[in-house]
């Protein structure tokens, strides 16, 4: 267990939606900007400063944010790191930019921070990139749409060739907080809906504007809504810690931010602004129990108390993991933590099993997640802090990194993935001197490439091996003798088998 941290009471009266409504300038004043120097400082005094990434010669249209690694991977679980970077200081409703200039989009990196796959988005953002299973096969999934300002978007499913196999639309105003595929080929998604409600009990208007959270279960293939749960039918305003009217003119009293399948098939729902977890009957919608908040059905030990939490998940051993933000205020200095809680059904008590926090504490006023790894460790995304860490089964820190440009991410994961893009690799050829040239080779999304072989010749259909190199990162540079004619690069796997070749280019 990593050092116990005292859990203070609720300290914020400012909602995320209210902050966004206040405008991009006000929000930027409260948050860390896209500053590499600030990003380095947050990692600790001994951390290496981030290095600005030069454009890739072979793919100048790809500009993923650099990753600064403070604690190199050691004894870590297998797999890549799955991220969804975006700029939280961007103004809501900003005009689209060319994808070739974008730092925003689904991003897979290795433990060194080297990109494996990046899909730049010119409009909106991606949230929650991870591997799930659909129709018995591993797929990439994420939410894509508006994040700052009003919510709204859809849910994307890609196969191993990076082609879309499903697009899920909510039966309403779908939002970023959850997209969970079930074994029944359905999707559990979150919706935010503004309704007219009597808010006089919290100092509002008789016909005030209330934001409710909606859970939907949708058939992926048909889009048919199979189940719907609305917070206002089950959770009153008296349960909320956030009932003030925001600058947007509404009250975001519930703030639904995660859905999970419990072991009995019912649902676990997390509400940030009530600081509570709700177990929901998946058939009737009835609240089976509340954990935390003002009306907890469980007696929660002081050390297990949480507030403004994200990513509540039931684990196979019966424990519950969650990301304890402990604040909703951007200027707070209270450290966030990952938690594991045990529910003792006989005594109806919740106790702390373990918690995770790096040696340099992280504040995260929004977002964040805790992923259970197969070896007993966890992978944690620190939300608005912009960092992500891996802890071993004994609580030891075995990986720690962050976005080097001030980007942040909603969740972060370590997962296995095999990508086999159907397009060809990309190359660029740059003369070095009168006798040599360098061939830059890359293949966005290809995970099986172990080596690159450069081939040259006087005709594009007659090229011979001129040099080779082990893959060194997203882009590999191979220097060979200067050729007159054409050059290409062939991607080889660990057994030397040909995976694909770039189109020959004249040199």
């Amino acid at each position: 267990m990593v050092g116990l941290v005292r859990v203070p009471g609720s300290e914020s009266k400012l909602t995320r939606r209210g902050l966004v409504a206040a405008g991009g300038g006000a929000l930027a004043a409260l948050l860390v900007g896209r500053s590499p120097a600030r990003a380095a400082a947050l990692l600790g005094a001994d951390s290496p400063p981030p290095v600005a990434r030069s454009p890739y010669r072979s793919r100048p249209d790809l500009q993923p944010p650099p990753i600064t690694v403070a604690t190199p991977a050691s004894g870590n679980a297998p797999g890549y790191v799955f991220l969804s970077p975006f700029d939280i200081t961007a103004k809501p409703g900003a005009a689209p930019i060319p994808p070739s200039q974008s730092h925003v989009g689904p991003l897979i990196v290795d433990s060194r921070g080297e990109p494996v796959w990046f899909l730049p988005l010119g409009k909106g953002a991606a949230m929650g990139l991870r591997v799930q299973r659909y129709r018995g096969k591993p797929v990439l999934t994420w939410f894509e749409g508006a994040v700052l300002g009003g919510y709204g978007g859809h849910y994307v499913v890609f196969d191993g060739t990076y082609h879309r196999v499903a697009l899920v639309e909510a039966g309403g105003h779908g939002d970023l907080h959850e997209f969970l595929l079930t074994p029944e080929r359905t999707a559990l998604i979150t919706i935010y809906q503004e309704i007219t409600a009597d808010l006089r009990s919290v100092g509002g208007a008789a016909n005030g504007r209330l934001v409710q959270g909606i859970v939907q279960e949708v058939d992926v293939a048909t889009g048919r809504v199979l189940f719907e749960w609305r917070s206002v039918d089950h959770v009153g305003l008296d349960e909320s810690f956030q009932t003030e009217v925001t600058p947007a003119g509404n009250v975001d009293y519930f703030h639904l931010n995660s859905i999970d399948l419990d072991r009995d098939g019912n649902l676990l729902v997390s509400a940030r602004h009530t600081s509570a977890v709700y177990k929901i009957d998946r058939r009737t919608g009835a609240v089976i129990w509340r954990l935390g908040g003002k009306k907890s059905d469980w007696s929660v030990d002081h050390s297990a108390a949480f507030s403004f939490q994200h990513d509540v998940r039931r684990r196979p051993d019966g424990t519950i993991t969650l990301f304890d933000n402990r604040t909703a205020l951007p200027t707070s200095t209270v450290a966030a933590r990952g938690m594991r809680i045990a529910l003792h059904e006989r005594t109806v008590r919740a106790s702390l099993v373990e918690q995770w926090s790096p040696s340099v504490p992280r504040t995260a006023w929004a977002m964040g997640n805790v992923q259970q790894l197969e070896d007993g460790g966890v992978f944690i995304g620190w939300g608005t802090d912009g960092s992500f860490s891996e802890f071993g089964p004994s609580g030891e820190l075995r990986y720690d990194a962050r976005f080097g440009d001030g980007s942040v991410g909603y969740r972060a994961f370590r997962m296995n993935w095999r990508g086999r893009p159907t397009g060809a690799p990309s190359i660029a050829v740059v003369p070095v001197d009168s006798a040599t040239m360098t061939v830059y080779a890359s293949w966005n999304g290809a995970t099986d490439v172990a080596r690159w072989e450069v081939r040259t010749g006087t005709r594009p259909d007659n090229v011979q091996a001129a040099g080779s190199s082990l893959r060194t990162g997203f882009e590999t540079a191979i220097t060979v003798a200067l050729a007159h004619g054409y050059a290409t690069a062939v991607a080889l796997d660990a057994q030397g088998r040909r995976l694909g070749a770039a189109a020959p280019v004249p040199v």
Side-chain angles (χ1 to χ4, degrees), residues 155 169-174 189 191 193 214 216 218 223 225 228 230:
Y155 309 90
E169 301 283 358
H173 200 57
I189 58 178
I191 296 173
Q193 183 184 62
I214 300 175
Q216 278 191 352
V218 179
V225 177
E228 184 171 273
R230 296 170 177 264

Side-chain angles (χ1 to χ4, degrees), residues 301-324:
D301 289 359
H302 179 73
S303 60
F306 54 86
S307 57
F308 302 106
Q309 78 289 337
H310 284 75
D311 195 43
V312 175
R313 307 290 165 186
R314 178 79 80 166
R315 299 307 179 185
D317 64 357
T319 61
I320 286 177
T321 60
L322 60 88
F323 185 83
D324 184 17

Side-chain angles (χ1 to χ4, degrees), residues 34 60-64 96-104 118 120-122:
R34 299 177 67 86
D61 58 318
L62 297 181
Q63 298 188 44
I97 64 171
S100 61
Q101 300 175 17
S102 176
H103 306 282
V104 173
F118 180 51
L121 301 178

Side-chain angles (χ1 to χ4, degrees), residues 17 124-125 143-155 169 172-176 192:
R17 188 173 293 270
F143 165 87
E144 187 174 317
V147 175
L148 303 174
Y151 298 132
H154 49 252
Y155 309 90
E169 301 283 358
H173 200 57
D175 81 86
L176 63 96
Y192 277 39

Side-chain angles (χ1 to χ4, degrees), residues 57-81:
R57 299 287 191 117
S58 58
R59 290 297 304 268
D61 58 318
L62 297 181
Q63 298 188 44
I67 304 300
T68 301
V69 177
T71 301
S74 177
N76 58 288
Y80 299 111
V81 178

